[in-house]
Amino acid sequence: MAAARCLREFSDQTCSICKQCFDNPVTIDCGHNFCEACLPLLPHWGEPNRDPSCLLCSETVHQRNFKPNQQLANLAQLVRKLQEGAKRDAERREVSKSHQDPPWLFCKEDQAPIHTGSECNKEENTHDVVPVEVAPQGSKVTQAASPNINATKTPVLGSPTTNDEQETMCSICKEYLIDPVTLDCGHNFCRGCITNYCKIWEIQDGGPLECPLCKFQIQKWNFRPNLQLAETVENLKLLPLKLYKERIQTQLKSWEKEKQILVDRKQSEEEEKQKCLKQLNAEKGKIKDTFEQMQNSLKLKESSLLACLRNLEKEIKKKVAENGNRLTEDISHLTNLIAEVQEKCEQPPLLFLQDIESTLLRYEEKRAEHSADLYTWLEERLKICSQKNSALVNDMVKCADSMEEVLKKAPLEETLEKVSVTLDPQTAHPLLTLSADLKSVKVGEVPDDEDMDGLHCIPYVLGREKFTSGRHWWEVELGLNAEDEEYMDQECLWIVGAAQESFQRNRGFDLSPKARIWAVGVSPFSKKLTAFTSCGPTHLCLAHEVRRIRVSLDYKACQVEFFDADTNASVFTFSAASFTGEVIRPFFCLGGEGLELKCGN
């Protein structure tokens, strides 16, 4: 398309009579050019008693006074070649569409034909491509290309050859022609250059004036302006600039698209930020509401307990007051008793003993009973109150410790990050088959050409994700049909967890932290959910079978924890795991037919 637009800039290479590129152009008296065969078509050409006139400016033309313009002829030939090349390119594109788009570019690095430059972008390294017509001899393209395509070489517009440039250059100043004029011999020079040349020739008295190029004898100052050649030179000067501007425009469009992508990305990130801030404000509200509810509940409990204590205090005061009244009565009775006993002391001995013994016994029992009841009641009430306060203090301490533990386990600045795990085919055991989306794995058939030595290691595959910091979690689902339950009890093998990228691969069944693997699962040896610890398999007692496991990895705390994803119950925790700064990746091990491990989204 750029070549076609640039060809339109050379419309001055067309004869005004036949509307075709010049064929043997000649220059007439006024400086305009026409095909030599078209001259008889000029107005009044060949009419008796009338001189022909120029078709463009209507100036009189002498029928025999015209000179061939060789440079213009060469430029016209160049334009004709460019037009033919553009036509062939259009025909080739039509042929490409009807023949399944044959290659029209050649990659130097791959030594192979391609259709577009984008096909040759491998591993983000841009390869050099050239037109298929200039592919090296002996390459795949030149060996398979048809003779017609190879036989035609299309000139590249904007990169003229040395001979083409010479047609627009002055042979005296070696620069582009400025105000070109044509001599009698048909050669063109800058008006200023040929004028100075003639002056120097006269000063040196070199005899008859000759053309600087062909030494053809010419008449002094018989210079004809070549307007079309001047326009062609100007267009040729501007052609690289126009091509460069088109290239800049194309690049600007590409940058505009890239800018729009960045703008959209910024807008998307801004929307995500606002969404996150909104969720964060919602979480703040939840925390405030939770603590307000807790504070209100504590205040109610405090008011209730204080009310109970105030009631107890009132009851104690009431009991003490009642007991004081009783004591006052007892004192009064004792005073009366003393007086009575003193009176009875004067009675006869037998009568005195009978009266005084019954009186003393009655008052002593009443006083002792009253004192014992009050003390026991006060002791029981104080003991109950003390026990309630101790239990309350212990519960408050436990609640504070529990809250502190939760905050330490999930700090706001380092929360758990959900990971969408995909499986790495390069680490897959030959027995395992991965799904097309790399989200599930099951046991498949062993290829015939597989190295049997590689089958002895445990059938595992690693996840593509690599962790060297942070806190992450992912889920794994065990896919098992109902009819496979019996088989599962016999030969089932599925294990999930995390492993160091360079863990020790061996032919045994060591999946413990000693081998840099932290995992839980079911094996043919245990037939129950087991944690593979350093000291040996540890059987886990759960209320029901686990079908979906969540793996939590805390790299900083060196901890791998497993949960039942359906109930959020903790299954097992590997604490104080030794990561030693190494890369940790998800780990999957599988054996037995009918089983499939699926990675959660």
Side-chain angles (χ1 to χ4, degrees), residues 97-114:
K97 293 179 181 179
S98 61
H99 291 81
Q100 298 182 352
D101 194 16
W104 56 276
L105 291 177
F106 178 78
C107 174
K108 292 183 179 180
E109 279 74 4
D110 295 337
Q111 291 293 308
I114 60 175

Side-chain angles (χ1 to χ4, degrees), residues 567-579:
T567 62
N568 289 327
S570 178
V571 175
F572 190 80
T573 302
F574 288 92
S575 58
S578 179
F579 295 156

Side-chain angles (χ1 to χ4, degrees), residues 170-452:
C170 176
S171 58
I172 297 178
C173 64
K174 306 302 182 183
E175 299 291 343
Y176 281 108
L177 289 166
I178 301 176
D179 189 13
V181 293
T182 304
L183 305 185
D184 297 333
C185 59
H187 288 114
N188 299 278
F189 301 91
C190 298
R191 182 182 292 277
C193 293
I194 194 61
T195 300
N196 293 333
Y197 174 79
C198 293
K199 290 180 179 179
I200 294 174
W201 190 277
E202 289 180 351
I203 294 173
Q204 294 180 352
D205 192 14
L209 186 61
E210 297 178 353
C211 174
L213 287 177
C214 63
K215 305 304 180 182
F216 182 81
Q217 187 173 349
I218 58 177
Q219 297 179 10
K220 294 181 179 180
W221 316 115
N222 188 17
F223 308 147
R224 299 177 184 179
N226 197 329
L227 303 179
Q228 288 173 299
L229 181 58
E231 187 176 355
T232 300
V233 172
E234 290 301 322
N235 289 334
L236 191 59
K237 287 181 181 178
L238 297 176
L239 179 59
L241 179 60
K242 292 178 180 179
L243 290 175
Y244 192 76
K245 286 183 177 180
E246 290 182 358
R247 181 180 175 187
I248 289 296
Q249 291 299 325
T250 303
Q251 185 64 46
L252 287 176
K253 290 181 181 179
S254 175
W255 287 342
E256 286 293 337
K257 292 181 180 179
E258 185 176 355
K259 174 186 174 183
Q260 187 60 40
I261 292 174
L262 294 178
V263 170
D264 295 341
R265 179 179 176 183
K266 181 180 179 181
Q267 182 178 359
S268 176
E269 290 181 353
E270 183 66 24
E271 292 176 355
E272 288 295 329
K273 184 192 76 173
Q274 295 299 332
K275 182 179 178 181
C276 291
L277 290 177
K278 185 177 180 180
Q279 293 179 353
L280 184 61
N281 291 330
E283 293 299 327
K284 289 181 180 178
K286 291 180 181 179
I287 292 175
K288 290 182 179 180
D289 294 340
T290 300
F291 277 91
E292 286 179 358
Q293 292 176 4
M294 184 180 296
Q295 290 173 357
N296 294 333
S297 177
L298 291 175
K299 287 182 179 179
L300 291 175
K301 295 296 182 182
E302 180 186 9
S303 301
S304 177
L305 290 175
L306 292 176
C308 290
L309 292 176
R310 283 194 295 269
N311 293 333
L312 179 61
E313 183 181 6
K314 291 179 180 180
E315 190 174 358
I316 289 175
K317 289 181 180 180
K318 181 179 178 181
K319 289 290 184 180
V320 170
E322 291 177 353
N323 190 59
N325 294 331
R326 290 179 182 178
L327 290 175
T328 301
E329 292 178 359
D330 290 343
I331 292 173
S332 177
H333 285 294
L334 286 174
T335 302
N336 295 332
L337 180 62
I338 292 172
E340 182 180 355
V341 169
Q342 289 177 352
E343 291 178 359
K344 289 183 178 183
C345 288
E346 297 177 357
Q347 295 179 358
L350 294 176
L351 183 61
F352 169 76
L353 291 175
Q354 292 177 355
D355 293 339
I356 197 64
E357 184 177 359
S358 61
T359 301
L360 291 176
L361 181 61
R362 184 177 66 253
Y363 279 97
E364 186 66 24
E365 289 177 355
K366 183 177 181 180
R367 185 176 64 83
E369 179 183 1
H370 172 74
S371 299
D373 290 343
L374 179 62
Y375 177 79
T376 302
W377 183 86
L378 287 174
E379 187 179 33
E380 289 178 354
R381 294 295 186 276
L382 290 175
K383 184 177 181 180
I384 292 173
C385 181
S386 177
Q387 290 177 350
K388 286 184 177 181
N389 289 338
S390 298
L392 179 62
V393 171
N394 292 333
D395 289 342
M396 293 294 292
V397 171
K398 290 180 181 180
C399 181
D401 292 342
S402 178
M403 292 176 62
E404 186 68 22
E405 184 66 24
V406 170
L407 293 177
K408 286 182 178 180
K409 190 173 183 180
L412 293 177
E413 63 274 10
E414 190 179 359
T415 57
L416 281 170
E417 176 186 0
K418 182 179 180 180
V419 180
S420 180
V421 175
T422 56
L423 305 177
D424 186 359
Q426 296 183 355
T427 62
H429 189 275
L431 285 174
L432 302 181
T433 300
L434 308 185
S435 62
D437 59 356
L438 302 179
K439 300 293 290 184
S440 63
V441 56
K442 60 183 179 180
V443 179
E445 297 181 358
V446 182
D448 296 335
D449 57 349
E450 184 62 38
D451 183 9
M452 295 302 297

Side-chain angles (χ1 to χ4, degrees), residues 460-494:
Y460 74 92
V461 60
L462 299 180
R464 283 182 170 177
E465 289 67 28
K466 301 179 180 181
F467 310 111
T468 56
S469 62
R471 304 175 70 244
H472 315 273
W473 68 274
W474 61 92
E475 290 186 357
V476 184
E477 180 181 356
L478 174 62
L480 184 65
N481 298 327
E483 56 270 17
D484 296 323
E485 293 287 349
E486 182 179 356
Y487 182 84
M488 176 179 176
D489 294 339
Q490 298 176 359
E491 302 182 16
C492 173
L493 169 62
W494 64 269

